[in-house]
Amino acid sequence: MLRMGWYELPDGLGPFDLRRGDRVLHGGRWATVVDLYAPGSSGRGRVLHLDDGRLQLLRPSERLPVSRRTGRC
């Protein structure tokens, strides 16, 4: 089963915490999150390392559509 929702970074966590293996809509295509990093010394936001080799900075208050497999698959 797939769980669809929006992930955002207000000052805390979004509706559900983004993690490795989640699929995110990036540039009109779905990509899998390989890793997440805190950017620089400020630690504000998250840098998403995607399986297509791209990095995307997600800043607080930005939203990103996410799908996640749930249950036993």
Side-chain angles (χ1 to χ4, degrees):
M1 170 183 261
L2 286 178
R3 175 180 173 184
M4 300 288 292
W6 288 88
Y7 179 74
E8 58 186 295
L9 287 168
D11 287 330
L13 295 175
F16 59 96
D17 192 17
L18 190 63
R19 59 186 182 216
R20 290 180 189 108
D22 286 346
R23 306 231 347 123
V24 296
L25 191 59
H26 177 259
R29 302 179 80 176
W30 287 95
T32 301
V33 176
V34 176
D35 210 352
L36 298 100
Y37 310 97
S41 59
S42 71
R44 296 209 43 139
R46 290 291 175 268
V47 175
L48 309 180
H49 180 188
L50 304 175
D51 65 350
D52 61 5
R54 295 185 180 189
L55 299 176
Q56 177 179 348
L57 175 62
L58 184 63
R59 294 182 182 96
S61 78
E62 289 184 312
R63 294 174 51 141
L64 193 64
V66 175
S67 75
R68 170 181 292 168
R69 288 206 175 274
T70 60
R72 297 180 194 181
C73 294

